[in-house]
């Protein structure tokens, strides 16, 4: 894959988080001339409505309340968290939405977990690949991974020489002569795991120019044994959250906003912060309309379709030392990437990830049909007599009316700059936008959503302080 830019463990990154924490207390530390002074940050007055109680909305609201604003959060769901969705369907906490803290060094989500005493556990990297009924030798698996990597690099170099035609990854692979990786089952598995499941959609929907290249935090990845929803609940403590409040329209002017909900209520405030997932943001009626550049960026960006299948068994039947195992076959399995959650939740649980074609299969079939196909493919591809699961769960984020997908993606025709444009406020200065899709450096991530909430809160503070 094309190299990504690693975000170093830096003092500036840590200060960003500490600055947010200090701002909650209403003070900032200034260092100069060898002396440490405490400057009291001015309190702001005003009414703020935050639409959405996901990580972006909760972060923005908490910072604004800490600075003196009166904040009401309107959330369509009956719970907080948004796409942070920890379920106990399997008898243990399993995240069916966001799962990982992606890079622990300098990551504000890792710092937030530490602040609230939420336990984390580093996940391993060892893996195995099964092909047509047997475990593939490590050397053969490595060759398949290398083929996939070379194919992506070749397609990327080829695409750079076609400056006026942003193609999907699939089209670039085929037209560049690197399409063999699409037909070799093991290499195709590597492409699915490292591209589709990583970036949230099928390779036919991802831009060869722009699907990659976002910044990352360094260090290992980790999960939260008690689930990501712990962080949402901790952030929501003490905040005014109205659940079951689906926003249908926002009217705004320089003097304030009116936010209409489906039950006919009208909520008035000085400003509003919209933290809706991209598809809902696109179709929300905002009057007057947002700027043309904003609307164009919202339409160019896309929404991913990553989904999960969670299975619990009476006993572990997979290799205890493997963090994940893959399934490769001439007919690609619906769910081909399986993570061993036993070290995280303490029970024999595996969770499968799938995007693109596999995800669509989950969306259009009921649980019984999905589990029957998944179990048949597990048995056939591994060659193991896998026992039936005792408990199961399936996510369907595209069908979820309050998300309509997993997280933002960049299809052909979009660029990284579209994330910045999407985060720009209205010309009236009373509508502000946050959410993972608006973070330029870290879109499609929990830490990107958190950062966007802080950014939007700072913008609101500047507005209210005038």
């Amino acid at each position: 894959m094309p190299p990504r830019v690693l975000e170093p463990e830096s003092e500036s990154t840590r200060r960003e988080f500490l600055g947010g924490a200090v701002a909650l207390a209403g003070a900032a530390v200034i260092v100069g001339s060898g002396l440490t002074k405490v400057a009291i940050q001015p309190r702001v007055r005003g009414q703020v409505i935050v639409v959405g109680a996901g990580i972006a909305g909760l972060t923005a609201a908490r910072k604004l309340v800490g600075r003196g604003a009166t904040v009401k959060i309107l959330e369509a769901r009956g719970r907080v968290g948004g796409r942070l969705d920890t379920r106990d369907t399997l008898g243990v906490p399993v995240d069916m939405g966001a799962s990982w803290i992606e890079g622990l060094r300098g990551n504000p989500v890792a710092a937030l977990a530490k602040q609230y005493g939420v336990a984390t556990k580093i996940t391993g990297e060892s893996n195995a690949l099964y092909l047509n009924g047997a475990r593939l030798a490590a050397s053969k698996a490595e060759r398949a991974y290398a083929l996939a990597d070379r194919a992506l690099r070749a397609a990327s170099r080829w695409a750079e020489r076609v400056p006026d035609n942003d193609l999907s990854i699939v089209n670039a692979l085929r037209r560049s002569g690197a399409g063999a990786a699409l037909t070799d089952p093991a290499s195709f598995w590597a492409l699915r795991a490292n591209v589709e499941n990583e970036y949230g959609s099928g390779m036919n929907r991802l831009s060869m120019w722009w699907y990659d290249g976002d910044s990352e935090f360094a260090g290992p990845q980790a999960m939260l044994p008690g689930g990501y929803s712990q962080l949402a609940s901790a952030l929501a403590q003490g905040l005014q959250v109205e659940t079951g409040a689906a926003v249908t329209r926002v009217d705004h002017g320089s003097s304030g906003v009116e936010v209409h909900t489906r039950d006919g209520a009208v909520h008035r405030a000085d400003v509003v912060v919209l933290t809706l997932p991209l598809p809902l943001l696109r179709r929300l009626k905002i009057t007057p309309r947002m700027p043309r550049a904003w609307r164009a960026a919202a339409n160019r960006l896309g929404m991913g379709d990553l989904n999960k299948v969670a299975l619990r068994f009476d006993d572990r039947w997979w290799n205890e030392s493997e963090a994940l195992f893959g399934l490769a076959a001439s007919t690609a399995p619906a769910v081909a990437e399986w993570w061993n959650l036993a070290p995280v939740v303490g029970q024999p649980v595996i969770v499968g990830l799938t995007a693109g074609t596999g995800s669509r299969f989950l969306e259009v079939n009921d649980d019984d049909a999905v589990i029957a196909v998944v179990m048949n493919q597990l048995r056939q591809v591994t060659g193991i007599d896998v026992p039936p699961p005792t408990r199961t769960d399936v996510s369907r984020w595209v069908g979820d009316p309050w998300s309509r997908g997993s997280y933002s993606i960049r299809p052909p025709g979009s660029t990284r700059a579209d994330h910045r444009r999407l985060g720009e406020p209205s010309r009236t200065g009373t509508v502000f936008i946050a959410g993972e899709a608006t973070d330029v450096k870290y879109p499609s991530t929990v830490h990107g959503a958190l950062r966007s909430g802080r950014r939007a809160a700072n913008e609101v503070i500047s507005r209210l302080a005038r």
Side-chain angles (χ1 to χ4, degrees):
M1 294 173 58
R4 292 175 132 203
V5 179
L6 292 181
E7 181 71 9
E9 181 182 13
S10 64
E11 288 299 319
S12 59
T13 301
R14 283 196 291 271
R15 280 198 299 271
E16 178 183 344
F17 174 76
L18 293 172
V22 172
L24 295 179
V29 175
I30 300 177
V31 179
S33 303
L35 298 176
T36 301
K37 301 178 182 180
V38 176
I40 303 301
Q41 294 189 354
R43 307 278 287 177
V44 296
R45 296 186 181 276
Q47 305 281 332
V48 181
I49 291 172
V50 174
V51 179
I55 193 76
L58 293 171
T59 299
R62 182 153 292 281
K63 182 163 188 176
L64 288 166
V65 167
R67 291 293 298 275
T70 301
V71 181
K72 178 193 291 185
I73 303 175
L74 301 178
E75 168 56 51
R77 300 180 190 273
R79 61 171 178 83
V80 300
R83 286 166 282 171
L84 305 184
D85 184 17
T86 307
R87 306 180 190 174
D88 60 2
T89 317
L90 274 61
V92 291
V94 175
D95 280 316
M96 298 301 286
S99 294
W100 279 272
I101 299 177
E102 301 181 57
L104 290 177
R105 296 178 189 167
N107 191 317
V109 176
L112 192 69
K114 185 176 181 180
Q115 176 186 343
Y116 285 115
V118 174
T120 60
K121 186 173 182 61
I122 294 173
T123 54
E125 298 180 353
S126 59
N127 62 80
L129 183 60
Y130 291 87
L131 175 65
N132 295 331
R135 178 171 172 156
L136 196 63
S139 59
K140 292 183 178 180
E142 288 297 329
R143 284 198 292 272
Y145 303 157
L147 173 60
D149 185 71
R150 288 195 303 271
L152 277 176
R153 291 179 182 275
S156 179
R157 289 192 298 269
W158 177 86
E160 289 173 1
R161 298 193 294 270
V162 188
D164 298 322
N165 193 7
D166 183 11
L167 299 174
S168 70
I169 295 175
V170 163
N171 283 337
L173 285 167
R174 288 173 175 158
R175 292 181 59 178
S176 66
L182 295 170
T183 57
D184 175 75
S187 296
F188 185 59
W189 177 86
L191 289 173
R192 290 184 69 188
N194 293 328
V195 178
E196 293 191 339
N197 293 352
E198 177 73 13
Y199 298 99
S201 196
M203 289 181 283
N204 62 318
R205 296 185 63 218
L206 297 172
S207 163
M208 185 73 254
W209 282 351
W210 293 104
Y211 82 97
D212 194 11
D214 299 320
S215 299
E216 289 182 336
F217 288 102
Q221 297 191 104
M223 287 184 168
L224 291 74
Y228 244 126
S229 292
Q230 296 173 102
L231 290 184
S233 297
L235 283 169
Q237 282 289 347
L239 298 178
Q240 182 184 356
V241 182
E242 185 175 327
T243 57
V247 171
T248 57
R249 190 174 94 233
V250 173
D251 299 328
H252 64 101
S254 58
S255 60
V257 299
E258 290 186 347
V259 179
H260 301 252
T261 51
R262 191 166 57 182
D263 61 3
V266 180
H267 304 262
R268 295 176 176 85
D270 297 303
V271 300
V272 64
V273 181
L274 303 178
T275 70
L276 296 170
L278 178 62
L280 275 65
L281 190 60
R282 274 197 296 238
R283 72 181 188 210
L284 178 65
K285 186 175 182 181
I286 304 174
T287 306
R289 292 197 300 175
M290 295 294 281
R292 180 179 297 177
W294 185 94
R295 301 196 309 269
N299 288 326
R300 282 190 295 266
L301 292 170
M303 192 67 166
D305 53 26
L306 183 72
N307 273 311
K308 296 180 180 179
V309 176
L311 306 174
R312 179 173 178 173
F313 300 87
D314 279 330
D315 298 294
R316 178 184 51 79
W317 51 265
W318 56 92
N319 190 321
E320 183 178 15
S321 65
E322 293 166 358
L324 72 96
F325 61 90
L327 307 181
S330 52
T331 299
V335 183
E337 179 183 352
W338 291 91
W339 284 83
N340 173 17
L341 258 61
V344 178
V345 300
Q347 296 295 330
V349 171
I350 57 175
V351 172
L353 278 61
T354 187
T357 302
S359 178
R360 287 194 292 276
F361 171 78
L362 270 58
E363 293 279 352
V364 300
N365 288 282
D366 62 23
D367 284 10
D368 289 343
V370 168
I371 300 305
V373 168
V374 162
M375 291 304 300
N376 183 54
Q377 292 174 343
L378 277 169
R379 294 175 181 124
Q380 286 187 344
V381 179
T382 64
I384 299 171
D385 186 17
V386 179
T390 57
R391 298 190 185 190
T392 65
D393 202 355
V394 180
S395 74
R396 295 178 178 87
W397 287 105
V398 175
D400 185 314
W402 309 124
S403 63
R404 295 301 183 191
S406 52
Y407 46 79
S408 62
I409 63 170
R410 288 192 290 268
S414 64
T415 72
R416 289 180 65 185
D418 288 327
H419 297 290
R420 176 184 53 77
R421 295 186 185 100
L422 188 68
E424 293 175 351
S426 65
R427 291 195 181 100
T428 61
T430 53
V431 178
F432 298 85
I433 313 293
E436 52 82 12
T438 71
D439 192 80
V440 178
K441 291 185 71 175
Y442 307 100
S444 314
T445 66
V446 178
H447 49 273
L450 187 155
R451 281 166 42 95
S452 77
R454 289 181 181 161
R455 171 192 51 76
N458 287 333
E459 293 169 349
V460 170
I461 289 168
S462 296
R463 165 74 180 186
L464 295 180
R466 292 176 186 171

